[in-house]
Amino acid sequence: MTACQRAGIVVRMVTGDNIKTAKKIAEDCGILKPGGLAMEGPDFAKLPDKELDKQLPALQVLARATPMDKYRLVDRLKQLGEVVAVTGDGTNDAAALKKADVGLAMGIMGTEVAKEASDIIILDDNFVSIVRSVMWGRNVYDNIRKFLQFQLTVNVVALITAFIGAITQYGTPLKAVQLLWVNLIMDTFAALALGTERPTSDLLNKKPYGRKSSLISKIMWRNIIGMGLFQVAILFMIIYAGPQIWDLPENGHDHPTKPTVHYTMVFNTFVWLQLFNEINARKVNTDLNVFSGIHRNFVFLGILIGTAVAQVLIVEFGGYFTSTTSLTAVQWISCVGLGALALPFGFILRLIPVPLEPHEKPTEESLEELEFLTKRDKTKRKPYQRV
């Protein structure tokens, strides 16, 4: 219960029990706080909507309630713009479960009607499983945002590089097969890597995402635009100044069809920039440490290493098919070194303040005692399932 409240979730009890019994249980569970409102169903039903809306923020216990009272409570909260989750196990709860944004039915005590009307079934009828489902839900949402941040950065850089290269008569530095490798293979693996980030109790330190919260936040736009401009600057340096820096024959205006060291370095640096920026993409909030927990995500590390090995093979042995040619040790070190600059630059970007949305502001209280929720479930039984 405390976990939900610290995570910004308002927990209300709706029961058919006597109000004295309901208040005592609610106080023991931490639902009814000092100054909180406890109301009986008949009084609740008599209130007009405008008066009820004024009482709802303080309402914590609704006793002697009918199924219609529960349904009306859900409806009024949704009318006020709240995201509502409802638990229930009886047939009479079906209407409220269906009306709620998220209906959670009990897997053991719940009736089949309640289960059919719900979105999630709590298999062990344990409130801790609800807390865990909230944590996993926030984690999935964050993982989607991580991939969006990474993917948009890749696309912005590729588009600007191809466009500017074309209008300055340098041709398209990134060839079709190279872009196919980046977009269809490397980004697919990146989605898998970023999508396997496991939840931590820190997710419960934040307020819930609002109904109207932007999928791409101001923090993400800062990271996308800032990192995109940085990568474009690195690639343009190689395109226009690379022949002088590394003493290479310039591709120039003749648009050679044969693979060249010059454009191979452009492609190689571009991929290494994305590989290191994939680590930056692990954070889409105010956290500064992008390496936290990375040692526990073996899928992420495996994909990162596998993609790096594949890139070496493509550059060294791709030849005409991938428009690449072998590079010297100095050229390889230069490409990887320039790509690695994405990490310190990403750290600098995260120091630039931007306006935060309400859910991005951490709560003051710590949730260290909830670390057990992130440990592996030794029972081998899933706490909830979607239907």
Side-chain angles (χ1 to χ4, degrees), residues 362-375:
T363 58
E364 297 179 356
E365 299 169 316
S366 173
L367 289 180
E368 294 179 357
E369 68 273 16
L370 294 175
E371 286 294 339
F372 71 94
L373 291 175
T374 62
K375 295 180 180 179

Side-chain angles (χ1 to χ4, degrees), residues 7 39 53 85 95 122 130 165 248 259 280 300 316 325 354 359 376:
M39 185 183 297
D53 292 346
I122 309 298
I130 298 177
L248 305 173
N280 285 326
F300 184 92
E316 291 297 317
T325 188
V354 294
H359 66 267
R376 187 175 181 179

Side-chain angles (χ1 to χ4, degrees), residues 29 153 160 195 362 384:
C29 294
T153 303
I160 294 177
Y384 59 90

Side-chain angles (χ1 to χ4, degrees), residues 151-161 221 224-225 228-229 232:
Q151 178 69 29
L152 287 175
T153 303
V154 174
N155 290 342
V156 166
V157 174
L159 181 62
I160 294 177
T161 303
W221 280 122
I224 293 168
I225 296 173
L229 293 176
V232 166

Side-chain angles (χ1 to χ4, degrees), residues 128-290:
V128 173
S129 296
I130 298 177
V131 179
R132 190 180 290 111
S133 68
V134 170
M135 190 165 59
W136 272 97
R138 292 185 179 186
N139 181 68
V140 170
Y141 187 79
D142 272 0
N143 287 349
I144 293 172
R145 288 154 58 99
K146 291 172 187 178
F147 176 69
L148 281 177
Q149 176 177 288
F150 175 78
Q151 178 69 29
L152 287 175
T153 303
V154 174
N155 290 342
V156 166
V157 174
L159 181 62
I160 294 177
T161 303
F163 178 74
I164 298 299
I167 65 175
T168 55
Q169 298 182 347
Y170 268 74
T172 303
L174 301 173
K175 306 304 179 183
V177 175
Q178 296 171 352
L179 290 175
L180 184 65
W181 156 244
V182 171
N183 284 301
L184 295 185
I185 302 176
M186 196 178 81
D187 286 354
T188 301
F189 290 150
L192 179 60
L194 295 171
T196 55
E197 293 283 349
R198 295 185 63 82
T200 65
S201 60
D202 290 338
L203 291 168
L204 297 177
N205 280 327
K206 299 183 297 183
K207 297 179 181 178
Y209 295 106
R211 188 182 294 276
K212 298 181 180 179
S213 296
S214 300
L215 183 60
I216 303 178
S217 65
K218 293 181 178 64
I219 290 178
M220 294 172 64
W221 280 122
R222 177 199 64 191
N223 297 342
I224 293 168
I225 296 173
M227 183 57 65
L229 293 176
F230 171 75
Q231 292 188 12
V232 166
I234 293 291
L235 295 180
F236 283 173
M237 179 198 71
I238 301 175
I239 292 172
Y240 298 110
Q244 291 74 36
I245 296 174
W246 288 282
D247 192 23
L248 305 173
E250 186 176 356
N251 274 33
H253 303 279
D254 53 348
H255 308 306
T257 57
K258 187 172 68 173
T260 64
V261 172
H262 184 195
Y263 276 6
T264 298
M265 289 189 67
V266 174
F267 165 63
N268 198 29
T269 304
F270 174 70
V271 172
W272 284 101
L273 282 167
Q274 309 318 319
L275 279 173
F276 285 102
N277 189 46
E278 191 172 339
I279 301 176
N280 285 326
R282 295 183 69 244
K283 301 298 178 182
V284 289
N285 47 33
T286 56
D287 294 344
L288 295 179
N289 185 10
V290 296

